[in-house]
């Protein structure tokens, strides 16, 4: 048996926050539009998703342990006051780390690499007179350059980025309805309500004015981070909002 072969991009401890027995969870399959209850041990994971070898996975497990303890403390207490500054930073680090480590994020990193090759590297190659004397322009156009670990660069940035969202105001959304909060295989949701009509630029960078961050924590708890310069939240009590309207949960 190969150690650390099956590598998760959504940690198993996160699934447990939504599980009734710590082993199974309700799963919806987008392809066949069916849902079922089953084990989550192999969900949101692939063989050697990050890299071969166990060193990186061991490091991630240590990071996840610290994040798990901080998030569980927040879930159990439903209070930001229960967290130390270091524990709150670990909650934020979970958000920035998780947002960069998924399969969706990995594909985004791969696409960015190909964009750089297409828009910058190949034009430079075609402008190199010494190179074009040896290699035809047609062959240069056929060149495919890949960087297998490009997503690890984004993950490294994610681990260092909690400070970028530390100015956002945290709010706990408490679900009082019969519906459950859900999460996907890319559970961190970045949105910008203030600039959502501007479709020509992205406004979900971690320092974008108007950024909203949603992070489901359990079936009945969701963490919201918002830019207080552009949004006002009414009805909050000690950074907690109770929601009893199922339409709002939907």
């Amino acid at each position: 048996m190969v150690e650390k072969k099956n590598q998760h991009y959504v940690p198993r401890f996160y699934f447990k926050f939504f599980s009734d027995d710590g082993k199974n969870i309700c799963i919806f399959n987008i392809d066949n539009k069916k849902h079922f209850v089953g084990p989550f041990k192999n969900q949101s994971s692939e063989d050697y998703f990050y890299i071969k070898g166990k060193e990186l996975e061991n490091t991630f497990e240590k990071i996840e342990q610290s994040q798990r303890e901080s998030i569980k403390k927040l879930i159990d207490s439903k209070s930001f006051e229960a967290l130390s500054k270091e524990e709150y930073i670990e909650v934020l680090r979970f958000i920035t780390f998780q947002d960069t480590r998924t399969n969706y994020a990995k594909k985004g990193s791969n696409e960015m690499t190909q964009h750089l090759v297409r828009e910058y590297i190949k034009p430079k190659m075609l402008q190199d007179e010494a190179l074009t004397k040896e290699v035809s322009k047609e062959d240069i156009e056929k060149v495919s350059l890949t960087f297998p670990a490009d997503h690890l660069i984004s993950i490294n940035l994610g681990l260092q980025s909690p400070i970028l969202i530390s100015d956002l105001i945290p709010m706990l959304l408490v679900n009082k309805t019969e519906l459950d909060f859900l999460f996907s295989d890319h559970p961190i949701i970045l949105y910008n309500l203030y600039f959502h009509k501007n479709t020509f630029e992205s406004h979900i960078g971690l320092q974008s004015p108007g950024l909203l961050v949603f992070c489901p924590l359990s079936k009945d708890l969701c963490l919201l981070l918002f830019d207080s310069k552009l949004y006002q939240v009414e009805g909050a009590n000690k950074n907690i909002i109770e929601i009893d309207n199922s339409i709002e949960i939907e």
Side-chain angles (χ1 to χ4, degrees), residues 207-226:
Q207 289 193 298
S208 296
L211 179 66
L212 295 167
V213 181
F214 294 89
C215 176
L217 298 178
S218 67
K219 294 180 183 179
D220 61 359
L221 204 62
C222 181
L223 173 60
L224 163 65
L225 303 175
F226 68 94

Side-chain angles (χ1 to χ4, degrees), residues 1-9 41-42 44-53 57 106 151:
M1 181 177 178
V2 181
E3 190 176 9
K4 309 296 183 182
K5 179 181 179 181
N6 184 36
Q7 300 174 351
H8 286 76
Y9 49 86
K41 64 179 181 179
N42 291 321
S44 298
S45 68
E46 292 182 14
D47 290 348
Y48 303 120
F49 177 76
Y50 300 108
I51 196 171
K52 287 190 176 182
E57 189 73 357
K106 183 177 182 179
H151 63 297

Side-chain angles (χ1 to χ4, degrees), residues 151-186:
H151 63 297
L152 296 182
I153 297 176
S154 297
I155 291 174
N156 182 44
L157 291 174
L159 286 169
Q160 301 180 61
S161 296
I163 189 66
L164 299 181
I165 57 173
S166 62
D167 61 325
L168 299 180
I169 303 300
M171 193 73 61
L172 284 177
L173 308 180
V174 181
N175 182 2
K176 291 292 188 177
T177 75
E178 295 182 356
L179 301 179
D180 294 335
F181 281 130
L182 311 176
F183 71 95
S184 71
D185 55 2
H186 187 79

